[in-house]
Amino acid sequence: MMPTFTDPAANRLWKDYFARVNRLLTHSGADRKELLTDLEAHVADSLIANARGTEMERLQSALARLGQPEEYLRPLLADDLINRGMRTYAPLTIIRGLFHALLTGSRRAAIACGFSLGYLCLAIFVAIAVLKPVWRDHVGVFQGENGKIRAGIFSLSGSDHDMLGWWTTPIALLLAALVYVGLTKSLRALRHQP
């Protein structure tokens, strides 16, 4: 519901602003057309209510009151992506939602950082499981001659002992699955808190 502008600069500003809104909403599962129509109607109503000034001044004022689309849509986008990812156990969707949550505020950023670190641990377990058959002498759980135990991907000395051998792969996959389910269920529980 774009109003008709006589000023081409106001027309361009309207189109640019709502192109940004549309681009952000493209990644959301929310009803994009309905939300876009509501926002356009809100700005159009604001233009009608404010009769002072040029079209450009009134439009700038209306858009300034509404704010930058990234500021008010990013929390909605983060919530939507995280909820979709939790329902479907889709890690990339959850990661995208966490990225948007990081950009929305300090509490959300702290929570997103914590869960991002958890998903990083998950990726490390998967990497260990996948790389064990390729670099069997450098990936696993090793005990050095001094008794120190290390897990991961290493350049080893000749005296290090692989404690798990080929069991590294199924154990790493099991740990990855447990961490993934635990993180996703924790995220779900956290999201249902008031």
Side-chain angles (χ1 to χ4, degrees), residues 69-129:
E70 293 80 9
E71 292 174 7
Y72 63 84
L73 287 177
R74 210 171 282 287
L76 171 73
L77 183 58
D79 288 346
D80 182 60
L81 289 169
I82 290 170
N83 287 335
R84 254 193 300 154
M86 287 185 315
R87 280 192 312 273
T88 61
Y89 285 88
L92 293 178
T93 305
I94 291 173
I95 289 169
R96 283 184 27 228
L98 290 171
F99 169 75
H100 287 290
L102 277 171
L103 301 175
T104 60
S106 59
R107 180 179 180 273
R108 286 173 162 255
I111 291 169
C113 281
F115 279 98
S116 296
L117 288 174
Y119 282 102
L120 177 63
C121 289
L122 172 106
I124 290 170
F125 286 135
V126 170
I128 288 171

Side-chain angles (χ1 to χ4, degrees), residues 18-19 21 61 66 69 82 84 95 100 142 147 155-156 173 178 182 189:
F18 285 103
V21 169
S61 174
L66 189 56
I82 290 170
R84 254 193 300 154
I95 289 169
H100 287 290
F142 299 97
S155 175
L156 303 173
L173 287 174
L178 290 173

Side-chain angles (χ1 to χ4, degrees), residues 78-80 82-83 86 108 186-193:
D79 288 346
D80 182 60
I82 290 170
N83 287 335
M86 287 185 315
R108 286 173 162 255
S186 298
L187 190 57
R188 185 177 291 158
L190 185 66
R191 306 287 286 171
H192 290 307
Q193 288 181 351

Side-chain angles (χ1 to χ4, degrees), residues 25-99:
L25 291 176
T26 299
H27 302 293
S28 172
D31 187 358
R32 182 176 55 148
K33 286 190 178 201
E34 180 181 345
L35 189 53
L36 191 60
T37 302
D38 288 348
L39 287 171
E40 287 176 345
H42 177 73
V43 174
D45 290 345
S46 184
L47 286 171
I48 293 168
N50 182 9
R52 290 188 308 238
T54 66
E55 282 180 334
M56 186 63 159
E57 290 169 347
R58 292 187 340 226
L59 180 58
Q60 287 173 331
S61 174
L63 294 178
R65 279 193 304 276
L66 189 56
Q68 298 300 316
E70 293 80 9
E71 292 174 7
Y72 63 84
L73 287 177
R74 210 171 282 287
L76 171 73
L77 183 58
D79 288 346
D80 182 60
L81 289 169
I82 290 170
N83 287 335
R84 254 193 300 154
M86 287 185 315
R87 280 192 312 273
T88 61
Y89 285 88
L92 293 178
T93 305
I94 291 173
I95 289 169
R96 283 184 27 228
L98 290 171
F99 169 75

Side-chain angles (χ1 to χ4, degrees), residues 133-154:
V134 178
W135 291 331
R136 65 185 176 100
D137 295 332
H138 299 284
V139 177
V141 179
F142 299 97
Q143 184 174 17
E145 59 187 37
N146 61 358
K148 187 176 178 182
I149 297 174
R150 299 178 295 169
I153 303 167
F154 301 101

